[in-house]
Amino acid sequence: MSKYVINGGKKLNGDITIHGAKNSVLPLLAASILTDETIRIGNCPNLADVENMIRILSALGVQVEREGNYIEIKSGGLFAYEIPKRQAKELRSSVFLMGSILGRMKKAKVAYPGGCDIGLRPIDIHLKALSELNVKIVEKYGYINCDATRMRAANVFLDYPSVGATENIMLLAAISDGTTTVSNAAREPEIIELQKFLNTMGAKIDGAGTSCIKIEGVQKLHGTDYYAMPDRIVTGTILMAVAMCGGNVLLNGTNYTHIDSLISKLVKSGCNIAVKSDKICIQSSDRLASMGYIETGPYPGYPTDLQAPLVALASTADGTTILVENIFENRFKHIPELCKMGANIKVKDRIAFITGVKQLTGAEVVAMDLRGGAALVLAGLSAAQLTVVHDIQHIERGYEEMDKCFVALGADVIKIN
Ligand code: UD1
């Protein structure tokens, strides 16, 4: 297994361009099979999760070609409607394919999805929403068999604003008879992006970004050429790295409006941040003040995907931060690893009490999941002495060449395969 060896304590300086958003490109790839015409998506990050999605699409008979950051999808040859267990386990996002395979083939057989081990991650909200659209669902031997031949547009209420369930319904209802509405829909920027993408394919969707989305079904979608949005979680992770290590960094090709909830906290803690069009400039020189009370929540709340990096940051801030994880029940696996580096963190159920120490000390730690792994890298960058982060394959699911990104900013990171 590969690892990062980090000689910490270096300030970060320079500029960096943020890569495209994994969590947006994955549903866009799923949406691409709703037409047999050619789709081109730009700004696709080179990440394990994206490669897994491409593999799944190829196994279904879809022709997928990557040229640099562009991916071209031609699904005229789509012949299968089943996602095998082994592939679904690799990628939770295979669950969106349920909506798009059903939209195109009217049948889908999908194994229960995998992804990061950060909690139960059930798909009951997806299934309930599909049955409200009169999709027949039979669960057998770890597979979900869906039949949408008698699908009917309806008003669907989500018991929780699940990102994936909102995307699945948009994908299925985009090609259908009648108008479907989703109430209590997720409001994440990735949902707005999916609406924009589908509308450039000829869909008639309105309301993304609010909690009520209206999908007027059309009979056919067509090809498109689209440039994906920047990754707000990568943006946030780099901002926090600079905040922790000190330095002056310009982030290009990003969207500051997507991470207001983080920027306001960094400013309160003592960072200087300036934003303009697609740029964010961050400067940090002194020890940060603690963050007070923070809880994760659905957008526009503080993102759960930036919880682990924030715990790393709070570990060296001056004072106590109280952090409540409301979205996933098993998302504190980075905390024992941070404690090996000298962090002072107590956990009670879903609440972490973090009392900042002046500096962490390097140690051998293990990445248990994607964002928790990123938090350990941040801790290592700011710590005294050497940190070794093992099992970085988790990190590589969501951050493109994280080592090179920080080396370009002056950090001392070596990847060992
Ligand atoms: C997406 C993101 C993930 C992010 C999460 C929350 C992608 C590929 N992944 O995941 O990075 O952390 O949003 O912002 O976009 N839930 C149920 N039943 C369901 C569906 C969800 O109980 O049927 C629960 C989940 O277990 C979790 C919460 O609802 O506790 C949020 O899940 P959801 O919004 O669906 O997240 P994902 O779409 O899986």
Side-chain angles (χ1 to χ4, degrees):
M1 292 290 176
S2 306
K3 58 190 174 190
Y4 288 146
V5 178
I6 306 167
N7 187 10
K10 311 273 184 298
K11 286 200 187 317
L12 302 178
N13 287 292
D15 55 276
I16 188 122
T17 300
I18 301 301
H19 64 66
K22 162 180 97 72
N23 286 354
S24 177
V25 166
L26 292 172
L28 300 194
L29 286 170
S32 301
I33 66 167
L34 288 171
T35 177
D36 54 12
E37 293 183 18
T38 303
I39 301 275
R40 270 168 62 80
I41 307 172
N43 206 22
C44 293
N46 201 351
L47 297 170
D49 271 9
V50 174
E51 291 314 306
N52 277 331
M53 182 60 119
I54 291 176
R55 256 196 298 277
I56 295 176
L57 292 175
S58 306
L60 296 174
V62 178
Q63 208 181 312
V64 189
E65 270 170 38
R66 185 192 260 276
E67 205 186 311
N69 285 337
Y70 262 90
I71 297 181
E72 189 176 89
I73 303 109
K74 291 181 181 167
S75 35
L78 180 74
F79 61 82
Y81 58 82
E82 173 178 340
I83 303 176
K85 228 172 237 163
R86 191 176 43 80
Q87 286 172 329
K89 289 280 173 240
E90 295 281 308
L91 182 68
R92 166 142 181 111
S93 309
S94 55
V95 76
F96 317 126
L97 280 166
M98 213 153 61
S100 53
I101 294 175
L102 273 177
R104 178 81 187 274
M105 310 284 276
K106 306 302 166 209
K107 277 191 175 183
K109 183 174 175 187
V110 181
Y112 269 94
C116 264
D117 181 19
I118 53 176
L120 286 173
R121 304 190 89 168
I123 55 166
D124 53 318
I125 301 170
H126 298 246
L127 299 183
K128 184 166 170 253
L130 290 177
S131 9
E132 284 176 27
L133 295 174
N134 207 34
V135 173
K136 284 241 150 13
I137 298 167
V138 179
E139 295 179 60
K140 227 176 176 180
Y141 311 124
Y143 277 91
I144 306 150
N145 297 275
C146 303
D147 182 338
T149 40
R150 287 166 190 267
M151 183 209 154
R152 224 178 19 230
N155 299 329
V156 175
F157 178 84
L158 301 182
D159 292 331
Y160 178 88
S162 153
V163 175
T166 304
E167 290 169 339
N168 240 333
I169 300 309
M170 289 167 76
L171 290 166
L172 172 59
I175 308 185
S176 65
D177 293 324
T179 298
T180 291
T181 54
V182 188
S183 300
N184 199 26
R187 294 189 284 158
E188 269 69 2
E190 291 78 10
I191 304 282
I192 302 180
E193 194 75 354
L194 180 60
Q195 168 178 291
K196 282 191 198 158
F197 180 77
L198 286 167
N199 285 349
T200 68
M201 293 173 71
K204 291 189 176 163
I205 308 179
D206 186 38
T210 74
S211 51
C212 185
I213 301 176
K214 188 169 136 203
I215 307 137
E216 205 182 308
V218 297
Q219 294 307 311
K220 200 169 160 28
L221 295 176
H222 54 72
T224 188
D225 197 323
Y226 198 84
Y227 196 80
M229 66 182 255
D231 197 306
R232 64 193 169 102
I233 306 303
V234 171
T235 301
T237 305
I238 293 173
L239 286 175
M240 283 193 263
V242 183
M244 281 180 85
C245 295
N248 196 335
V249 171
L250 175 66
L251 285 71
N252 291 304
T254 185
N255 187 333
Y256 64 87
T257 63
H258 291 167
I259 48 162
D260 279 345
S261 59
L262 170 66
I263 290 181
S264 58
K265 284 173 186 55
L266 292 177
V267 169
K268 264 197 203 147
S269 295
C271 296
N272 285 320
I273 297 185
V275 295
K276 197 174 174 195
S277 62
D278 68 342
K279 298 183 194 317
I280 306 177
C281 183
I282 176 165
Q283 192 216 342
S284 164
S285 42
D286 300 318
R287 186 176 179 200
L288 299 182
S290 73
M291 306 269 154
Y293 175 87
I294 301 169
E295 53 182 333
T296 61
Y299 193 84
Y302 187 82
T304 174
D305 287 351
L306 286 176
Q307 176 260 106
L310 193 94
V311 172
L313 179 125
S315 298
T316 56
D318 191 4
T320 298
T321 301
I322 298 173
L323 195 146
V324 184
E325 173 54 64
N326 286 318
I327 312 285
F328 292 106
E329 71 277 9
N330 194 12
R331 214 171 197 186
F332 278 155
K333 288 185 178 170
H334 46 290
I335 290 182
E337 301 302 297
L338 288 171
C339 290
K340 287 185 197 161
M341 301 177 71
N344 178 0
I345 308 171
K346 304 271 175 292
V347 174
K348 190 168 186 297
D349 304 322
R350 287 178 174 216
I351 310 174
F353 300 86
I354 309 141
T355 304
V357 297
K358 270 216 169 118
Q359 193 175 24
L360 298 172
T361 309
E364 295 240 353
V365 288
V366 182
M368 306 282 185
D369 58 55
L370 164 56
R371 309 300 173 187
L376 299 177
V377 172
L378 265 49
L381 290 173
S382 76
Q385 302 161 17
L386 275 192
T387 296
V388 182
V389 182
H390 293 274
D391 285 0
I392 59 168
Q393 73 279 3
H394 293 295
I395 302 172
E396 291 178 334
R397 286 187 38 230
Y399 295 87
E400 196 177 285
E401 300 190 318
M402 192 187 232
D403 52 331
K404 290 191 182 153
C405 154
F406 285 123
V407 166
L409 297 177
D412 182 347
V413 185
I414 298 172
K415 178 177 168 182
I416 298 178
N417 286 314

